[in-house]
Amino acid sequence: MLAAWSLPCCFTILLGLLELCRAQYEHLGYPHGYPQGYPEPEQEQYSAPELPPDTPRIQLRLAGDKRKHNEGRVEVFYDGEWGTVCDDDFSIHSAQVVCRELGYLEAVSWSPSSKYGKGEGRIWFDNVQCTGKEKTLALCTSNGIGVSDCKHTEDVGVVCSDKRIPGFKFINTMANNVQSLNIQVEDVRIRAILSSYRKRIPVTEGYVEVKDGGKWKQICDVEWTKHNSRVICGMFGFPGERKYNARVYKMFARRRKPSYWDYSVNCTGNEAHVSSCKLGHAVAAKANSTCGGGTPVVVSCVPGRAFSPTPMTGFRKAFRQEQTLVRLRGGAIVGEGRVEVLKNGEWGTICDDNWSLLSATVVCRELGFGSAKEALSGGRLGQGMGPVHMNEIECSGFEKSITECFFNKESLGCSHEEDAAVRCNVPAMGFQERLRLSGGRNPNEGRVEVLVERNGSQAWGTVCSDGWGTIEAMVVCRQLDLGFASNAFQETWYWPGEVSADPVVMSGVRCSGTEMSLSQCLHHGAHLTCPKGGGRNAAGVSCSETAPDLVLNPQIVEQTTYMEDRPMFMLQCAYEENCLSTTSSETPASSHRRLLRFSSQIHNNGQSDFRPKAERHSWVWHDCHSHYHSMEVFTHYDLLSLNGTKVAEGHKASFCLEDTECEEGIEKRYECANFGEQGITVGCWDTYRHDIDCQWIDITDIKPGDYIFQVVINPNYEVPESDYSNNFMKCRCRYDGHRIWMYSCHNGETMVHQALVERLFYIRHSVLLHCSTTLLELKDNFTLK
């Protein structure tokens, strides 16, 4: 019968199968080729404030060691000189006046005592008292302009909102010094002009436009430099710029008359945002144009590898960081995390002494992102393990790697409480518009709903909860920029979503954890399979800004390992908990079992406490150990052959979580005794000593030789963590029949996580099974001749 099939029919079946199995490459399908809301509608016209004639004419800017473009030391230009503002009597109302004068909607906070570094020159304002309604800082009550008894150690700083005032227009009252002012505009964008670039995500090439006075305007290219292009590309998430076909854009400019901004731009190339650049000269108007002999500025940016558009999908399958000497750990989303460097085969951290936005930007560009939007200090994104490799880093900003920057090799004494971290600018991929949470009590929780294309139109629908777990929930929270997952739900009957979105539109979802969007995870194609259906049985999540991070101390394992022969009659409790190998059931009570014993010390280096998934009412009482166990499986202990085959295992069937010890200044919060609360506090560790039951591997049946010893924490991903890559540890182990040695213990960042391998194998098996079933269905539907 099969021989009767025609070759075209077979080819058609294969094409259909390929179409079904490529679901993870679904195109985003934006109606305009780029995310919704871009370009934006015009805003109402901004009205410049009218000031009394005798008001001192000043200009403001934010300066210093800034963490973001909308924060910094307040600097005032007056009488031909830049100066600062003293923090005496300064308040949030004064900060409100400053931020609104700079074009921001409102002030978020203010900082005294030169947080952003000491300024220079005169201290123009002291004892400033504002009501918050003044139209300029010069109208607030003060000692009088230039009258101050402060020092620059008292320079004040402010943090303004990200959003700008709609229709805000830059007004320069210091015409002779315009080149020394920071750029103040409502917004900046890259607008794709050529049709081939309008269809791409992300947008990498087009006009540079600024919104000024509620209108989008082009910039004249007469004084434009590569440094300016570098800054623009960096703030949009791209590590560098490249050449483009200028002839095409000149032809376009002739056909459609541009509307030019009044100023040129002067960047050094190291700025993290164009707002930190200086204004260049005012462009003289000629007839109806302000760009005589020039054309609108065009930039063409080079996206990092993870964001490179491809003909098939517009983006790559999932984020895959290139193998470099630098990596980010502990961040909730792509492009943020604790900075770690590889030195002498060991990963270590960077101390935050002198850590600046300039050095952070070198890291971001090195990893394929844009400039840094924030340089974090004080272990803000979790503490690392191992050595602190670099301190007091100073970069020029043009280094290819942070390892090329100068750093103090002699400066020691930094602790992991000072670990440096970054948040980088990443390209706008539009992922957030394709997913939403519905029905939750707050924006951080709800039923997961996906926007898909069905029959030529866009429709919202639910995700099948079969197999839905923590890893999938993590991808959802990352896609929505809501941090980490705190829970993954397989029933959402308590969250009524939109009735029209009840049908299941995505099933069989399996994520590896590296994806930037849920559509990049493996999932079924057009043929959905979901026995429970959607609606109240659909997948749901709750997200959190912080998460714990468990790390095993490898030195403790190496230092405490030994071997013990223990009689069976002393192992009855352990036998009942399945902590011995299967052959122990046939062993007489008078015989011995040989145990590989060790201590384990598990640190919580994250940003929130590690709490068991099970609620208190479901904890299990163990008579043998006389306390409640809050996790059914918390740790796996395995002994592997050198080729990775498991030869022996210790089964830590259940655990009681508590704070054994904490770092200085941190109090213990959890203990197992008296039905106490269980968990591991941030900065504390839970130690399981070598002399307690089940803290071993039963090696009675193994032969002498060389082995690999492996420990995996939280193996089933029951509790969300900020970083699963450091949850396992491996050692080399030698056993000669009489003694045992453990050496070269290390956290297994460079090795493959066994649980992840099993997960990926399951995913692969599921996909092959689904494709095979689909092929059979297609075959049955053919009429064989």
Side-chain angles (χ1 to χ4, degrees):
M1 295 293 291
L2 290 174
W5 280 23
S6 65
L7 185 59
C9 288
C10 292
F11 185 70
T12 303
I13 292 175
L14 290 174
L15 285 178
L17 179 60
L18 177 62
E19 181 68 23
L20 291 170
C21 295
R22 73 175 187 89
Q24 64 267 34
Y25 296 108
E26 288 180 354
H27 187 57
L28 290 174
Y30 290 117
H32 301 294
Y34 42 95
Q36 296 175 359
Y38 179 86
E40 299 175 358
E42 299 295 342
Q43 304 278 2
E44 67 274 11
Q45 186 64 32
Y46 169 78
S47 299
E50 294 184 6
L51 303 177
D54 58 343
T55 305
R57 292 299 190 260
I58 63 171
Q59 290 285 359
L60 301 182
R61 70 182 181 188
L62 300 180
D65 186 13
K66 293 185 289 187
R67 293 298 189 254
K68 290 183 178 179
H69 68 275
N70 55 317
E71 62 179 309
R73 181 176 62 247
V74 180
E75 293 197 346
V76 180
F77 188 83
Y78 178 74
D79 196 23
E81 182 182 355
W82 282 103
T84 61
V85 177
C86 183
D87 59 17
D88 292 349
D89 292 337
F90 202 86
S91 68
I92 191 65
H93 302 299
S94 304
Q96 181 81 358
V97 174
V98 169
C99 289
R100 290 192 65 82
E101 190 168 356
L102 288 168
Y104 297 97
L105 274 177
E106 59 185 352
V108 176
S109 63
W110 64 279
S111 304
S113 306
S114 62
K115 174 186 175 180
Y116 298 99
K118 295 188 290 185
E120 297 178 349
R122 301 278 296 275
I123 297 177
W124 286 122
F125 290 100
D126 188 8
N127 296 108
V128 176
Q129 297 180 25
C130 304
T131 65
K133 297 181 180 179
E134 292 84 357
K135 296 179 179 179
T136 173
L137 191 66
L139 290 176
C140 295
T141 302
S142 69
N143 289 349
I145 193 162
V147 180
S148 172
D149 58 358
C150 294
K151 298 180 180 179
H152 283 297
T153 53
E154 301 171 85
D155 287 343
V156 76
V158 298
V159 179
C160 303
S161 64
D162 281 323
K163 293 185 178 180
R164 307 303 298 260
I165 298 173
F168 175 82
K169 183 172 180 62
F170 172 78
I171 300 173
N172 171 39
T173 61
M174 307 292 174
N176 295 330
N177 296 279
V178 65
Q179 67 276 8
S180 63
L181 295 174
N182 293 105
I183 293 175
Q184 299 170 31
V185 290
E186 284 180 70
D187 203 357
V188 183
R189 72 180 182 185
I190 299 175
R191 182 165 70 92
I193 300 300
L194 306 183
S195 59
S196 58
Y197 283 96
R198 286 204 302 271
K199 296 177 182 178
R200 291 190 183 183
I201 301 172
V203 175
T204 59
E205 182 175 304
Y207 280 172
V208 177
E209 297 185 334
V210 297
K211 184 182 276 189
D212 190 33
K215 296 182 179 179
W216 287 105
K217 299 179 181 180
Q218 291 80 45
I219 302 175
C220 180
D221 68 354
V222 171
E223 297 184 8
W224 192 261
T225 67
K226 287 185 177 180
H227 292 321
N228 298 343
S229 296
R230 174 182 166 88
V231 172
I232 294 294
C233 289
M235 62 182 281
F236 283 100
F238 305 114
E241 73 289 344
R242 61 187 169 197
K243 293 182 178 180
Y244 59 91
N245 188 344
R247 188 185 312 172
V248 175
Y249 287 98
K250 286 182 180 178
M251 292 173 59
F252 186 88
R254 290 196 202 103
R255 293 201 307 266
R256 191 168 184 177
K257 197 170 185 61
S259 174
Y260 288 106
W261 192 40
D262 297 335
Y263 302 95
S264 59
V265 178
N266 182 15
C267 302
T268 66
N270 281 331
E271 294 85 356
H273 193 278
V274 72
S275 296
S276 301
C277 296
K278 307 300 180 187
L279 279 172
H281 297 95
V283 180
K286 294 187 177 180
N288 292 325
S289 172
T290 57
C291 188
T295 58
V297 165
V298 175
V299 297
S300 183
C301 304
V302 181
R305 183 180 177 184
F307 305 96
S308 298
T310 60
M312 188 172 182
T313 66
F315 56 89
R316 292 187 181 274
K317 256 195 320 185
F319 174 66
R320 293 288 185 271
Q321 186 169 298
E322 297 182 30
Q323 297 300 314
T324 65
L325 298 176
V326 181
R327 70 182 185 187
L328 302 181
R329 284 289 182 269
I333 60 175
V334 173
E336 74 171 30
R338 178 179 61 254
V339 183
E340 297 186 353
V341 294
L342 184 64
K343 182 180 179 182
N344 298 327
E346 187 174 13
W347 287 101
T349 61
I350 291 177
C351 187
D352 62 11
D353 292 350
N354 296 347
W355 186 243
S356 66
L357 208 59
L358 199 60
S359 301
T361 292
V362 173
V363 170
C364 291
R365 291 186 187 273
E366 176 181 3
L367 295 176
F369 308 115
S371 51
K373 58 183 176 183
E374 199 165 2
L376 302 167
S377 56
R380 284 268 303 279
L381 295 184
Q383 297 181 24
M385 293 284 286
V388 178
H389 282 322
M390 302 176 75
N391 189 18
E392 297 182 6
I393 295 178
E394 294 182 14
C395 302
S396 69
F398 290 94
E399 293 86 355
K400 297 294 184 182
S401 169
I402 194 70
T403 58
E404 298 176 7
C405 297
F406 170 81
F407 64 97
N408 192 341
K409 299 178 182 179
E410 307 300 325
S411 180
L412 303 174
C414 275
S415 68
H416 286 297
E417 295 177 355
E418 302 171 87
D419 284 344
V422 299
R423 287 195 175 106
C424 306
N425 287 312
V426 297
M429 304 296 290
F431 292 141
Q432 288 175 283
E433 283 75 30
R434 311 294 298 180
L435 196 72
R436 70 186 184 192
L437 301 183
S438 179
R441 295 163 296 181
N442 57 64
N444 298 326
E445 67 178 19
R447 185 176 75 176
V448 179
E449 295 179 357
V450 185
L451 183 64
V452 297
E453 185 173 343
R454 288 287 182 267
N455 301 321
S457 62
Q458 303 284 318
W460 288 97
T462 56
V463 178
C464 183
S465 63
D466 287 355
W468 185 260
T470 302
I471 301 298
E472 288 72 33
M474 282 285 193
V475 174
V476 168
C477 294
R478 177 187 302 136
Q479 181 174 350
L480 293 174
D481 200 14
L482 294 177
F484 305 96
S486 56
N487 281 292
F489 302 98
Q490 295 190 347
E491 290 183 348
T492 51
W493 53 268
Y494 34 78
W495 286 333
E498 294 285 340
V499 176
S500 60
D502 279 353
V504 173
V505 297
M506 183 180 287
S507 65
V509 180
R510 294 292 184 276
C511 304
S512 67
T514 62
E515 296 86 357
M516 289 185 283
S517 77
L518 199 63
S519 63
Q520 294 175 353
C521 298
L522 288 168
H523 59 276
H524 297 154
H527 295 271
L528 302 173
T529 303
C530 189
K532 291 183 179 180
R536 61 170 48 198
N537 294 313
V541 301
S542 62
C543 305
S544 172
E545 291 183 2
T546 59
D549 182 20
L550 298 187
V551 183
L552 189 72
N553 189 331
Q555 285 73 34
I556 296 296
V557 174
E558 195 168 322
Q559 294 166 5
T560 58
T561 299
Y562 65 98
M563 190 175 66
E564 178 192 12
D565 290 334
R566 195 171 182 86
M568 271 298 295
F569 69 84
M570 296 179 65
L571 295 170
Q572 190 59 36
C573 184
Y575 175 74
E576 292 175 5
E577 289 195 26
N578 297 317
C579 295
L580 302 174
S581 65
T582 54
T583 59
S584 63
S585 60
E586 305 168 1
T587 304
S590 58
S591 63
H592 291 72
R593 303 298 295 181
R594 178 157 288 184
L595 307 175
L596 168 59
R597 310 200 68 152
F598 52 91
S599 297
S600 62
Q601 189 181 91
I602 300 167
H603 293 243
N604 182 1
N605 288 353
Q607 303 168 70
S608 60
D609 294 353
F610 184 94
R611 296 300 309 278
K613 179 181 180 181
E615 296 293 337
R616 189 186 182 92
H617 67 271
S618 61
W619 295 354
V620 179
W621 173 261
H622 284 258
D623 287 325
C624 288
H625 300 146
S626 299
H627 57 226
Y628 285 92
H629 286 182
S630 59
M631 290 193 70
E632 184 177 346
V633 178
F634 178 58
T635 312
H636 284 168
Y637 305 137
D638 298 314
L639 200 65
L640 313 174
S641 66
L642 296 183
N643 65 8
T645 304
K646 186 186 296 184
V647 296
E649 66 179 1
H651 184 58
K652 202 65 171 169
S654 50
F655 250 76
C656 164
L657 299 171
E658 65 179 0
D659 296 327
T660 307
E661 297 290 340
C662 298
E663 296 172 1
E664 186 177 353
I666 299 177
E667 294 184 3
K668 299 179 184 179
R669 298 181 57 189
Y670 305 104
E671 63 176 347
C672 299
N674 302 318
F675 198 29
E677 289 294 328
Q678 294 193 24
I680 307 177
T681 305
V682 176
C684 298
W685 54 90
D686 189 357
T687 301
Y688 273 76
R689 285 175 51 87
H690 54 80
D691 54 1
I692 66 174
D693 274 357
C694 297
Q695 189 62 29
W696 62 55
I697 292 181
D698 185 348
I699 60 171
T700 306
D701 304 317
I702 74 164
K703 299 178 181 179
D706 290 318
Y707 297 94
I708 295 173
F709 172 69
Q710 176 179 275
V711 180
V712 183
I713 309 168
N714 193 15
N716 298 330
Y717 309 110
E718 287 188 24
V719 179
E721 296 184 50
S722 60
D723 186 0
Y724 286 111
S725 68
N726 53 16
N727 277 35
F728 60 108
M729 185 216 70
K730 292 194 177 186
C731 303
R732 292 299 301 272
C733 179
R734 174 162 292 181
Y735 173 50
D736 66 2
H738 306 284
R739 294 167 298 175
I740 198 160
W741 296 269
M742 205 85 77
Y743 61 99
S744 298
C745 293
H746 61 278
N747 290 320
E749 302 95 334
T750 56
M751 300 195 176
V752 178
H753 195 323
Q754 187 67 25
L756 182 58
V757 171
E758 293 173 359
R759 181 180 182 82
L760 291 176
F761 176 80
Y762 171 73
I763 292 174
R764 177 176 176 271
H765 176 73
S766 300
V767 171
L768 290 175
L769 182 63
H770 175 70
C771 289
S772 300
T773 304
T774 304
L775 181 59
L776 290 175
E777 291 175 354
L778 287 171
K779 174 179 175 295
D780 292 340
N781 289 333
F782 271 82
T783 302
L784 302 180
K785 297 180 180 180

